[in-house]
Amino acid sequence: MQIVTWDLAPLDGAPGVRMAEVLDAVGIGRARVHLADLDAGSCLPRHPAGLDQTFVVLTGSGRVAGEDDVPVPVGPGDVVRWRVGEQHTSWADGPMRVLIVQHGG
């Protein structure tokens, strides 16, 4: 068994967002897993998904938007999925911790 404490580092271009890569796996396809903390009022700027992406809200609350750019509220336990190439963004209304899983390809 191994127990790891992740050091979340500031994300360039996204003030108030800290992120750590939890897993980068290659096998059948590809999978990348990140843990991110977003301060209240911060956002992950609009960008295309490089792979299919699953965004899991662990704590806190915020909003997410896809191609239509319409914000939808999210909170603990909510799971959002974006397809490869889909433009998307997320905002933290309060401090928010999320798990981001990129997979496919």
Side-chain angles (χ1 to χ4, degrees):
M1 176 171 70
Q2 180 182 23
I3 297 174
V4 177
T5 301
W6 300 107
D7 292 322
L8 280 66
L11 182 64
D12 286 343
V17 178
R18 292 167 307 289
M19 190 176 289
E21 185 170 74
V22 175
L23 174 70
D24 185 355
V26 177
I28 301 174
R30 180 171 176 106
R32 295 180 71 202
V33 179
H34 288 88
L35 180 64
D37 282 344
L38 289 80
D39 291 339
S42 67
C43 75
L44 289 168
R46 187 172 171 84
H47 62 282
L51 297 168
D52 288 343
Q53 191 171 106
T54 301
F55 182 94
V56 182
V57 181
L58 301 174
T59 62
S61 62
R63 292 163 285 134
V64 295
E67 290 283 349
D68 60 7
D69 216 21
V70 174
V72 177
V74 292
D78 286 336
V79 177
V80 182
R81 293 197 172 107
W82 292 291
R83 294 288 178 207
V84 64
E86 185 177 356
Q87 292 284 336
H88 64 285
T89 188
S90 56
W91 304 267
D93 294 331
M96 187 167 67
R97 175 166 274 189
V98 299
L99 190 68
I100 303 167
V101 181
Q102 300 177 72
H103 47 92

